Amino acid sequence: MNDFLMCDITGFLIFFTLYISDLLKYKVNQRTGRLYDFILIVSCITIIFRLSYHIILRTCTYSFAIEVLVRILIYLALMCRVLVYSLGALFAFSATGLLPLLRRKDFQKLIIILFYLIPNLYIIVDIFNQMMFSLDNSMNLIWYRPSLLLDITIIIQHLYCISIIMIYKRLLSKRRILYTLLMLPLNIVVLIFQMFFPSIQIEMFIVAITCYLIFATIQRPEILVNTQTLALSNIAFEKELKKSVRIELPVKIIFIKITNEAHLNMYLGPERFIEFLKSVTSFLNTLSKKAKLKASVYYLNNFVYALPTENQTDEAINVQLNELEKYFSQSFILGKAKINLITKICVVCYPEDVDTADKMLYAAKNFDSIITKTNKPYWYRDYSGERSFIIKSNMEKILDRAIENRLFDVYYQPIFNVETMTFTCAEALIRLNDEEFGIIPPATFISYAERTNRIHIIGDFVLENVCSFLASKEAASLNLEYIDINLSIAQSLQNNLVEKVRSYLEKYDIAPSKLRLEVTEKAVNFNPVIVEKNINQLANMGIRLALDDYGTDYSNIRNVISLPFDIIKLNKTFVDEVDNSESLSVVKDTIHMLRSLGKEVIIEGIESKERAELFRNYKIDKHTACKYLQGFYFSHPLPQSEFVKFFTI
């Protein structure tokens, strides 16, 4: 068997192996991946046709029927060869991100079509005039000069691809340009070589090597797919998004956030929950295909799915939003378990809503927290003019400006002592007074500050300001028991928390008992080892400690018993339903349990006289059950100067 047949066989094995590897590594819809698979399949078919007619030439004697069969196989091989290079051009444009841009330009689209149609028309014409090759009675295949026109057309196609990529190179990453410009010239060299040495057929072998290089560099399924959900990965989403932005391709992205993932994960267990996420991916892929959204399904971590769509009208997307709402609002039966999803669905448009890739990625991560007042699918643009939306969307700039210009203020909310019937302490609360947006409440900026580590700067600001106030003559005249300071989760996890608190106490000569640090249940449960170490060391310094928001997270009585909390704060949400007799019984039982453990109790969120009287009069064995009450009924948080006046009146 001649060497060039071995090259074809080797090329076939490479194509086939790459295709099987691609199938085993991922099974998702993506344009570039599909084009790559088509190249592999058509290349295998091309080689099969080539091998078939060469085997016939070497094993059969001449007859008219044999000549017809050989001609059919040759023409099929030539047509498949043209298709391989046309798909290769489309793949090059898709891999660089230029394909959607070229599809929008009628002239460019026509050129791409002509590069495929002209060679095939030439092959069809040759069926009747037989100018490219002939077969003699000795079964010798003779190629003529007109056959070179096919090679010339393919070379021109490659040069066109290179020129387009160079024209738009400012829009492309250097790595993509480098890979493409290394591979296309290689094929051009091989084509020119075969024009002069047609008997040495190494073309498909070189194409196979090119496909292998693509597999190892551009087309890497292992980084394109989230292996847990079988959707495309966050990395793939960022790459596709940045390509769209570079070529200014308008896209409308449907984001879907599963907001009760923690409860589902705990209820189902990690393995069953992951299997459920795979079923969600399957549904989204089916929906995209059925509705012709041309949208690949991406999983962005943090239980967010993304479906970027192209050339879709608002009406078409609204139809799919209704389908998504219907699907996610149903009850799912998994074995014997019945679960319900709580989701947020949002459509964000580029460039109408956001004009950069970074802003789109920010929207993807934060859309569910930026807009919280609807459980229906919504369009980002419908809320973009609201003040709260604008503030949340610009939170990074607002916080950086506040930190740089010290735009934070510490407010104090008085706490009522039921035993003495006076105000004896207070809670320090941070406020942000932005020069553009005015007063911004903590609920708006604290969570973002925690996610971006700016919370440490804010926490230090509060701690130092409270210590400075406690050291002042004004505070001394108020005879305060202590001032509460909330510690965020991030602060509770600081390795140097104890040293930092000690340094402020020493700097302002403050007795440790004048501070009471509040730690949330969520912080304790987040990392018990570090938080418990900090809590015990702070308690040993003489600092009072409170467990905040008890009853709103996964309440763990172990935290109450084993850790040195002297006060437990019951959150407003925990006691809001006390008008219901059953809920009231639960609240009273909880208070009774805490008091039996020797803990004092603060009730937060007291907003009415009736609620204040209820807890003020609640006794256990003729003793006050709830020592402290706090809420708007007594006083809103006050600036330091007004707080001092409040205490001195």
Side-chain angles (χ1 to χ4, degrees):
M1 189 173 286
N2 293 340
D3 288 342
F4 72 84
L5 288 182
M6 289 302 300
C7 286
D8 276 353
I9 293 172
T10 304
F12 178 85
L13 293 175
I14 293 173
F15 288 127
F16 185 75
T17 303
L18 289 175
Y19 181 68
I20 296 301
S21 298
D22 226 19
L23 287 181
L24 293 176
K25 286 192 175 181
Y26 77 109
K27 296 179 181 179
V28 293
N29 293 320
Q30 190 203 31
R31 180 169 48 216
T32 306
R34 291 195 300 270
L35 286 170
Y36 181 76
D37 285 343
F38 288 153
I39 292 172
L40 298 178
I41 293 171
V42 178
S43 296
C44 286
I45 295 172
T46 304
I47 292 176
I48 289 173
F49 286 141
R50 282 165 56 96
L51 289 175
S52 297
Y53 73 73
H54 277 293
I55 291 172
I56 292 173
L57 291 174
R58 281 155 179 74
T59 59
C60 299
T61 57
Y62 178 82
S63 69
F64 178 74
I66 290 296
E67 181 179 354
V68 172
L69 177 60
V70 168
R71 284 187 172 276
I72 291 173
L73 291 172
I74 290 174
Y75 287 129
L76 289 174
L78 291 175
M79 288 182 175
C80 287
R81 178 172 176 256
V82 171
L83 182 57
V84 167
Y85 286 111
S86 295
L87 289 172
L90 293 176
F91 176 84
F93 291 139
S94 182
T96 54
L98 292 176
L99 185 57
L101 176 65
L102 299 180
R103 287 170 58 185
R104 285 185 292 161
K105 299 178 180 294
D106 292 337
F107 177 73
Q108 301 285 7
K109 192 160 50 175
L110 178 62
I111 291 177
I112 293 172
I113 294 172
L114 289 177
F115 273 126
Y116 174 70
L117 288 180
I118 290 175
N120 279 296
L121 289 173
Y122 185 69
I123 293 170
I124 292 171
V125 170
D126 192 75
I127 293 174
F128 300 99
N129 58 28
Q130 300 180 3
M131 294 186 300
M132 287 195 293
F133 65 91
S134 65
L135 184 64
D136 62 22
N137 293 335
S138 300
M139 300 296 285
N140 293 317
L141 183 62
I142 303 168
W143 290 94
Y144 301 122
R145 286 187 179 276
S147 65
L148 298 179
L149 291 175
L150 289 179
D151 293 332
I152 292 171
T153 304
I154 294 172
I155 290 173
I156 294 174
Q157 183 186 54
H158 278 53
L159 293 174
Y160 168 76
C161 289
I162 293 173
S163 65
I164 291 296
I165 291 170
M166 294 306 297
I167 289 172
Y168 292 103
K169 65 180 181 180
R170 64 181 180 82
L171 302 176
L172 309 177
S173 67
K174 293 181 179 179
R175 185 172 65 88
R176 297 273 177 170
I177 296 174
L178 179 63
Y179 288 151
T180 307
L181 294 184
L182 284 176
M183 293 169 188
L184 291 176
L186 176 63
N187 287 331
I188 292 175
V189 171
V190 173
L191 287 167
I192 294 174
F193 175 82
Q194 297 227 195
M195 290 172 65
F196 291 98
F197 303 97
S199 61
I200 305 176
Q201 294 290 322
I202 60 172
E203 175 188 10
M204 296 309 294
F205 175 74
I206 297 301
V207 173
I209 295 300
T210 302
C211 286
Y212 175 77
L213 293 175
I214 291 172
F215 185 85
T217 55
I218 298 176
Q219 188 70 13
R220 297 178 60 190
E222 67 273 15
I223 66 170
L224 290 178
V225 177
N226 181 286
T227 55
Q228 290 187 322
T229 63
L230 297 185
L232 287 165
S233 68
N234 189 47
I235 294 174
F237 175 74
E238 290 191 20
K239 287 184 177 181
E240 289 301 313
L241 174 63
K242 289 176 181 178
K243 283 195 295 185
S244 298
V245 171
R246 281 197 300 267
I247 65 174
E248 299 179 348
L249 174 69
V251 291
K252 298 173 182 177
I253 304 180
I254 304 173
F255 291 110
I256 304 161
K257 164 78 173 181
I258 301 175
T259 60
N260 62 333
E261 77 286 346
H263 298 284
L264 293 175
N265 196 28
M266 181 183 67
Y267 179 60
L268 296 175
E271 292 185 3
R272 293 180 68 192
F273 186 50
I274 289 172
E275 288 301 314
F276 175 71
L277 291 179
K278 290 179 181 178
S279 69
V280 173
T281 302
S282 177
F283 165 77
L284 295 176
N285 275 317
T286 302
L287 178 68
S288 177
K289 184 176 180 180
K290 178 181 176 182
K292 297 180 180 180
L293 292 178
K294 299 178 181 178
S296 298
V297 179
Y298 296 85
Y299 181 75
L300 311 186
N301 303 325
N302 296 320
F303 308 96
V304 175
Y305 283 91
L307 284 78
T309 68
E310 298 175 14
N311 303 319
Q312 296 294 314
T313 64
D314 291 358
E315 292 76 14
I317 290 181
N318 277 327
V319 170
Q320 304 317 312
L321 291 180
N322 291 333
E323 290 293 321
L324 290 169
E325 182 185 7
K326 181 179 177 182
Y327 173 78
F328 286 110
S329 62
Q330 67 177 311
S331 296
F332 296 87
I333 307 298
L334 304 176
K336 296 182 179 180
K338 180 180 179 181
I339 65 170
N340 292 95
L341 294 181
I342 301 175
T343 58
K344 284 280 194 176
I345 303 175
C346 175
V347 182
V348 186
C349 303
Y350 168 84
E352 295 92 334
D353 298 333
V354 294
D355 56 3
T356 67
D358 288 340
K359 289 181 180 179
M360 181 65 80
L361 293 173
Y362 176 81
K365 294 177 182 176
N366 300 284
F367 74 91
D368 62 308
S369 60
I370 291 176
I371 304 173
T372 58
K373 63 182 182 182
T374 175
N375 290 321
K376 295 284 185 180
Y378 57 88
W379 291 73
Y380 202 73
R381 64 189 178 213
D382 292 339
Y383 297 86
S384 58
E386 295 185 357
R387 180 178 182 274
S388 61
F389 182 95
I390 296 172
I391 290 173
K392 291 177 180 179
S393 299
N394 291 276
M395 190 51 65
E396 180 176 5
K397 179 178 70 175
I398 292 171
L399 280 180
D400 287 343
R401 183 165 60 206
I403 291 170
E404 181 179 356
N405 300 327
R406 297 181 68 82
L407 301 178
F408 294 107
D409 290 315
V410 177
Y411 279 47
Y412 297 90
Q413 185 172 33
I415 298 176
F416 185 76
N417 188 319
V418 175
E419 292 181 348
T420 63
M421 298 297 287
T422 59
F423 296 95
T424 57
C425 46
E427 180 178 2
L429 300 166
I430 189 72
R431 293 291 184 269
L432 197 167
N433 189 4
D434 184 69
E435 55 195 31
E436 180 179 353
F437 297 103
I439 297 293
I440 299 176
T444 303
F445 67 84
I446 288 296
S447 60
Y448 182 85
E450 287 182 326
R451 292 196 302 271
T452 58
N453 285 326
R454 291 172 174 84
I455 194 65
H456 297 297
I457 300 174
I458 297 173
D460 292 349
F461 176 86
V462 173
L463 186 58
E464 181 163 16
N465 270 263
V466 170
C467 288
S468 175
F469 173 56
L470 286 171
S472 67
K473 292 181 179 180
E474 286 182 324
S477 66
L478 303 180
N479 197 27
L480 294 169
E481 287 184 51
Y482 52 77
I483 292 180
D484 283 353
I485 299 177
N486 291 284
L487 292 181
S488 68
I489 294 176
Q491 287 177 283
S492 302
L493 294 172
Q494 284 182 295
N495 289 322
N496 65 337
L497 174 64
V498 177
E499 289 75 12
K500 185 179 291 186
V501 173
R502 182 183 287 112
S503 68
Y504 285 124
L505 292 176
E506 292 175 352
K507 178 179 179 180
Y508 292 98
D509 193 23
I510 303 298
S513 60
K514 287 293 185 179
L515 283 184
R516 186 174 68 192
L517 301 180
E518 297 183 3
V519 181
T520 64
E521 276 196 298
K522 190 174 292 185
V524 178
N525 296 331
F526 188 84
N527 192 325
V529 175
I530 295 178
V531 176
E532 289 179 15
K533 176 184 175 183
N534 284 337
I535 288 173
N536 285 311
Q537 290 182 356
L538 290 168
N540 291 335
M541 288 172 54
I543 291 176
R544 303 185 186 196
L545 292 160
L547 182 61
D548 196 13
D549 290 341
Y550 182 79
T552 59
D553 200 57
Y554 300 113
S555 301
N556 189 341
I557 192 62
R558 173 189 170 277
N559 296 332
V560 178
I561 296 173
S562 63
L563 296 176
F565 295 115
D566 60 319
I567 291 182
I568 310 298
K569 299 189 75 171
L570 298 189
N571 188 270
K572 178 180 183 295
T573 58
F574 188 67
V575 297
D576 268 348
E577 303 298 325
V578 294
D579 293 333
N580 178 288
S581 59
E582 292 182 358
S583 298
L584 178 59
S585 296
V586 172
V587 173
K588 287 187 174 183
D589 288 344
T590 301
I591 295 171
H592 190 278
M593 175 197 67
L594 295 173
R595 294 292 290 129
S596 67
L597 294 173
K599 310 296 181 181
E600 298 290 355
V601 176
I602 292 183
I603 305 295
E604 294 183 293
I606 302 296
E607 297 182 353
S608 66
K609 180 179 179 181
E610 293 76 19
R611 192 64 51 82
E613 292 297 323
L614 171 67
F615 288 105
R616 186 163 58 190
N617 296 328
Y618 178 43
K619 307 233 182 239
I620 298 176
D621 297 332
K622 298 183 180 181
H623 296 287
T624 300
C626 307
K627 184 175 180 180
Y628 300 101
L629 303 179
Q630 179 182 355
F632 292 164
Y633 171 72
F634 298 104
S635 173
H636 283 73
L638 303 169
Q640 181 176 312
S641 58
E642 294 183 24
F643 173 75
V644 172
K645 290 180 181 178
F646 179 90
F647 261 69
T648 54
I649 292 176

